[in-house]
Each structure stands twice: as C-alpha cells, then as structure tokens.
Amino acid sequence: MVDLGNLVTVDYTAAAGATAPATAYANWAAELGVSPTATLYAMDADDSSWAVNFAASPMGSSPVIVGMVSSEGGVGFYKKAPVNTAALNVTTIPNVSRMNVLTDRPDVLFTFHPQADLKSVGLKLQRAGTTTIIGGRVQQYQSTTTPINVADFAMRLNGNSGCVLIVSAPAGDTPVPLYVMDGTVNLSGALMDTVAAGTTRQISASVSYATAALSAARLDELKVVNSLAWTGTPVAMRLFGDGRVSRKNYQLGDLGQGIGRVKGTVKNKGTPSNTPVYRRVRLLRLRDSMAIREQWSDPVTGAYDFQWIDELQDYIVMSLDHTRNFRMVSADYAVVELMP
C-alpha cells in the first residue's frame, strides 16, 4: 500500500499481463456494449491534457467523476473537481521527468511514461454503467515511421471497486516505469512496476480517500494561520491529515511548493532621485486577479517582500496611495525569485 498523503492511499498488485492492451480494451468494449474504436473525447495530440468525465468516481469516498488524461502517458483522479482545466507542462517530476497535466493538478496520478517527449496516438475513452475504459498509445514526439519510446495501454475504472492498468512495451524499445503519485504535492510518488521491452504488465489497484473532520485543536490552528496571514507575516499553510503543516496553500490552487518570493520598492518619482514611500502593496495572481497577499512598504526604504508564495504562478504587484495624491500603480509579470 502507498500512502500519498492528504488522506489518500493506493493499494495495488503487479503481475504479468495476460492480454495485450488493445485486446483487453476490445474485450472490455464488447462486454460493456460500446464501440471499440470510437471515443467520447478527441485526445490525440502533443503537450496536452484533457478533463474527462468518468462513469463513476474511481476513488473511494469521493463523489467526483471528473478526471484527467495526459498525452504524456498519465491518468489522474480528483477529490475535488478541477476548476482550472488549462493544460500545463511539468518537467520537474522525479523519475517521470515530463508530464502534461491540468493546471489544477490531480490528487492521484498514474503514469506510464517512457523517458521522452511524448504524444498520444489513437486514444479512446468509453463508459457504461459505472465502468470507464481508456486505451491507446503514447510514443515519442515526431516519431512516426518507426515509433520509439512507445507505451501501449488500456485502463479500466470500475467505480469504487478499483481499476486495472495494462501496459506493454514493444520488443527492442525502452522500458516503461509505472508510477503512482500525488500529482499536487508528492511528485516523487512510488514505482509500482517496470514494463521491460517486449513484455506486458498489469497493475490492479484500489484508491481510497479517507475523509476526516477537523478537531477543535486543528480549527484553532487554522484561526492562527489566518490571523498571521493578514498581519503581514508571510504564511500560506496547508494542513495534512496527520496535523503536519505545509507552506503550500491547497485552497488557492498552488502549482508549486510555496517557495517563491516577489520583492521590490515603492518610490515617488523625483529629481535628482526617487523618494521611498510608505504605501499599501497588494499581490494579485495574474490568471484570475485573486488577492494573494497585502502589506505596507517600509516607511524608510519603501521595500516590500512577499515571501513563501507559489513559485510557478505569475503575479501583478499593485501599489495604492492612501494620501490620494497619485493614482494606483501596477506591474504585471512580477519577477518571482526562490527563497534562499
């Protein structure tokens, strides 16, 4: 069993695959009475990911049927339906290296990704009753005449009863590692199995989400965090199921690890030099103008410093003149540094 954190666990077994992925998919389609060739979603592309609806939630205790399919060889599950479904390339996942996901990343991510820049070919998704089937191929981008770095796959989601993933690698090609991970935080994940060239492997898994109520002590901790965040102390925290605290702000949809920093100075333009001033400074997330932080610049130096923010977001910095002598000044695409 793998504990992904955030109250999610994955119990799985790995074994030799009895049938090839294409055969398995065709058999499942016949059993469900759906087309073995048609698809409910067009999913052949490079550097893409798609929000899809499953027939039923594949994760125990979660009612969410929205999932994700990636052209890089990945399928994701959610505890909470994603809001921002724009595709996003991530190239910093340990061992997997490259994956295209939705901007709102999945809570559970199964990957079957040969170590290359991939595209999807012949991807299909069908559903009937509480069962969803997904299948097709991922292969190296611009590899057409003789495809390389290939992974053929078929995945069956049986609602809360679990899922089956079958993956094969052609003879003479590269091995395909099969990982499961928390796509939002714990990107290192766990290696479930490796598909050697010329073989087929099968993963049988069940994903559980154990919801838990907040204790009185945890609620008090949240109140403290909220209070600190509005007094200028750089705090953006996430509570884990066991009470640990992280700087990553889950509710705000952070993409990174909360190790970013935006700093600068507020000055009035003058001659021969500009004069530092004391002003209210706001930090907004560029994609939706959400107010992330606010503070007053230093009255002596005019400096402001927003620490421990999401390093993968773009921001707008806004300065407001409470003396009403000047209009608001703003700058987009503020430079995001990493905390030392």
Side-chain angles (χ1 to χ4, degrees):
M1 179 180 291
V2 179
D3 184 355
L4 298 183
N6 303 318
L7 309 176
V8 177
T9 57
V10 179
D11 194 6
Y12 71 90
T13 58
T19 57
T23 302
Y25 186 92
N27 292 342
W28 295 338
E31 175 190 338
L32 298 174
V34 298
S35 170
T37 56
T39 179
L40 298 178
Y41 299 90
M43 298 182 293
D44 287 356
D46 174 55
D47 289 343
S48 296
S49 53
W50 302 271
V52 300
N53 284 343
F54 300 139
S57 172
M59 185 157 50
S61 300
S62 171
V64 178
I65 63 171
V66 181
M68 184 210 75
V69 178
S70 172
S71 65
E72 293 284 345
V75 175
F77 307 161
Y78 289 87
K79 295 185 297 185
K80 179 181 178 182
V83 176
N84 191 335
T85 57
L88 173 74
N89 263 326
V90 181
T91 58
T92 57
I93 302 179
N95 303 311
V96 177
S97 73
R98 180 185 180 91
M99 184 60 52
N100 195 286
V101 295
L102 303 182
T103 298
D104 287 354
R105 300 185 186 186
D107 296 283
V108 180
L109 177 61
F110 287 92
T111 68
F112 36 94
H113 175 86
Q115 301 298 300
D117 182 0
L118 306 179
K119 65 178 180 180
S120 51
V121 179
L123 259 60
K124 304 179 290 290
L125 184 149
Q126 290 285 352
R127 54 181 181 252
T130 58
T131 301
T132 303
I133 57 175
I134 310 166
R137 164 178 286 191
V138 293
Q139 66 187 50
Q140 184 167 321
Y141 175 61
Q142 294 182 333
S143 165
T144 54
T145 304
T146 305
I148 59 174
N149 291 312
V150 170
D152 292 310
F153 78 98
M155 191 170 193
R156 176 170 177 151
L157 311 180
N158 299 308
N160 289 336
S161 299
C163 61
V164 175
L165 173 63
I166 302 173
V167 180
S168 66
D173 209 342
T174 56
V176 181
L178 307 180
Y179 278 90
V180 64
M181 65 189 72
D182 175 350
T184 67
V185 180
N186 182 24
L187 295 178
S188 60
L191 178 63
M192 299 182 293
D193 200 4
T194 299
V195 184
T199 68
T200 300
R201 300 292 293 175
Q202 176 173 313
I203 300 292
S204 300
S206 60
V207 181
S208 300
Y209 169 39
T211 57
L214 292 175
S215 65
R218 297 275 296 285
L219 288 172
D220 288 341
E221 190 174 26
L222 277 173
K223 293 176 183 177
V224 172
V225 169
N226 185 64
S227 176
L228 289 172
W230 289 104
T231 55
T233 302
V235 178
M237 296 186 174
R238 172 185 181 182
L239 294 181
F240 290 94
D242 58 4
R244 292 178 291 127
V245 178
S246 166
R247 290 191 174 99
K248 183 178 177 70
N249 191 326
Y250 192 55
Q251 290 184 333
L252 295 185
D254 284 359
L255 304 178
Q257 298 302 307
I259 57 174
R261 180 184 200 177
V262 170
K263 61 181 181 178
T265 56
V266 182
K267 296 181 180 180
N268 281 343
K269 187 175 182 179
T271 303
S273 61
N274 299 331
T275 305
V277 289
Y278 176 65
R279 294 291 184 268
R280 185 191 300 272
V281 184
R282 287 177 180 163
L283 184 71
L284 309 180
R285 189 167 61 188
L286 181 64
R287 77 173 192 236
D288 55 7
S289 297
M290 175 180 281
I292 302 299
R293 302 284 178 80
E294 179 177 300
Q295 61 182 237
W296 288 83
S297 59
D298 187 276
V300 177
T301 65
Y304 62 86
D305 190 357
F306 297 105
Q307 300 182 6
W308 305 115
I309 61 174
D310 183 1
E311 73 278 12
L312 298 183
Q313 298 280 1
D314 290 318
Y315 296 98
I316 301 170
V317 176
M318 177 187 300
S319 174
L320 300 95
D321 183 10
H322 62 287
T323 68
R324 301 191 178 185
N325 290 324
F326 299 97
R327 292 194 179 277
M328 176 194 72
V329 177
S330 64
D332 57 6
Y333 294 102
V335 175
V336 181
E337 303 176 3
L338 297 182
M339 292 297 296

